[in-house]
Amino acid sequence: MYFNKVEISGVNTANLKVLKEAEKIRLLKLIKENGDMQAREELINGNLRLVLSVIQRFAGRGENPDDLFQVGCIGLIKAIDNFDVSLNVKFSTYAVPMILGEVKRYLRDNNQIRVSRSLRDLAYRAMQAKEKLINEKQAEPSVDEIAKEIDAKREDIVLALEAISEPVSLYEPVFSESGDTIYVMDQLGDNNDDNNWLDEIALKEAINHLGQREKKILSLRFFQGKTQVEVAQEIGISQAQVSRLEKGALNKIKRKI
């Protein structure tokens, strides 16, 4: 398969190294505290296998792996530049959504199945209106509320949002390291698994105890892959406040669970 070729964008994927988490944190601290460019280069090279594992999920779509790899590297660099070493979060946990988000944006903007400009514009207006309403009401708006906000028909909004979304196969790999691959279907809970069911209840209960702003920050950071700077701009507070609130929210969840 084309995605399994040894060399992608001039990089020999057979020789990619994997850094231990402690080494990643050490390099990140050198970058953040001293602006060490050599450490930055070493950290990028030490996470190229992570980029490769993310773009593997797009195999079979006719996309050029060289292009996807380069775009994924941009996401990796953004993750390195915006990662907060003070948080008790693994770097790969933070980086994967960033890489994935960058690749999805690239595919959305270069989609071979062309969506009309008017439909795309309506979808983006709907998404902007949704964020505006969430900020104002601190609650998820309905499609009817979004339609009223932008003076559009409900069915047109549903059609527009569906047009720009991409279907995901249950057998697409999400992450792969040391020969162990995690597929989309592996992340779907088994309704007959009592442990998973109890864990899910515990997690939901812990999140329910968070404030609205904390929930908003975690949603933007870990589900939408936004940087702390982007979150700060969106909700109108400083990056330092976002960092503090995010760290506090994660600690609250850990204590509850």
Side-chain angles (χ1 to χ4, degrees), residues 109-170:
D109 294 338
N110 296 274
N111 196 344
Q112 292 180 354
I113 302 175
R114 296 298 176 187
V115 178
S116 71
R117 181 62 182 269
S118 60
L119 206 58
R120 188 183 295 273
D121 287 346
L122 178 59
Y124 293 157
R125 283 172 55 212
M127 289 189 290
Q128 289 172 350
K130 178 181 178 181
E131 290 301 321
K132 178 175 177 288
L133 290 170
I134 289 175
N135 288 333
E136 290 176 354
K137 301 182 177 182
Q138 297 297 309
E140 189 83 9
S142 66
V143 177
D144 289 327
E145 288 175 322
I146 295 172
K148 183 179 179 181
E149 178 71 20
I150 63 176
D151 192 23
K153 294 181 179 179
R154 184 184 191 278
E155 54 269 28
D156 289 344
I157 291 176
V158 173
L159 179 64
L161 292 174
E162 287 181 349
I164 65 169
S165 66
E166 292 187 27
V168 178
S169 168
L170 292 175

Side-chain angles (χ1 to χ4, degrees), residues 18-66:
V18 177
L19 298 175
K20 294 185 180 298
E21 191 63 25
E23 180 64 9
K24 293 178 186 178
I25 298 300
R26 185 186 73 81
L27 292 171
L28 282 162
K29 287 181 177 179
L30 286 174
I31 297 167
K32 301 293 182 181
E33 296 170 5
N34 305 324
D36 192 323
M37 298 307 292
Q38 183 175 344
R40 188 170 185 266
E41 189 70 22
E42 187 176 345
L43 187 59
I44 292 171
N45 290 331
N47 281 280
L48 292 181
R49 188 175 293 279
L50 185 64
V51 175
L52 187 64
S53 70
V54 171
I55 70 168
Q56 287 285 348
R57 66 176 296 177
F58 300 98
R61 297 191 180 188
E63 300 293 339
N64 188 317
D66 291 342

Side-chain angles (χ1 to χ4, degrees), residues 85-125:
V85 294
S86 67
L87 296 178
N88 187 23
V89 176
K90 289 180 65 176
F91 176 71
S92 59
T93 301
Y94 176 80
V96 167
M98 292 286 284
I99 297 168
L100 191 56
E102 201 68 32
V103 173
K104 283 187 173 181
R105 275 190 288 274
Y106 167 80
L107 293 175
R108 181 192 66 201
D109 294 338
N110 296 274
N111 196 344
Q112 292 180 354
I113 302 175
R114 296 298 176 187
V115 178
S116 71
R117 181 62 182 269
S118 60
L119 206 58
R120 188 183 295 273
D121 287 346
L122 178 59
Y124 293 157
R125 283 172 55 212

Side-chain angles (χ1 to χ4, degrees), residues 75-90:
L76 170 63
I77 292 170
K78 286 183 178 181
I80 290 171
D81 291 344
N82 293 286
F83 185 73
D84 187 345
V85 294
S86 67
L87 296 178
N88 187 23
V89 176
K90 289 180 65 176

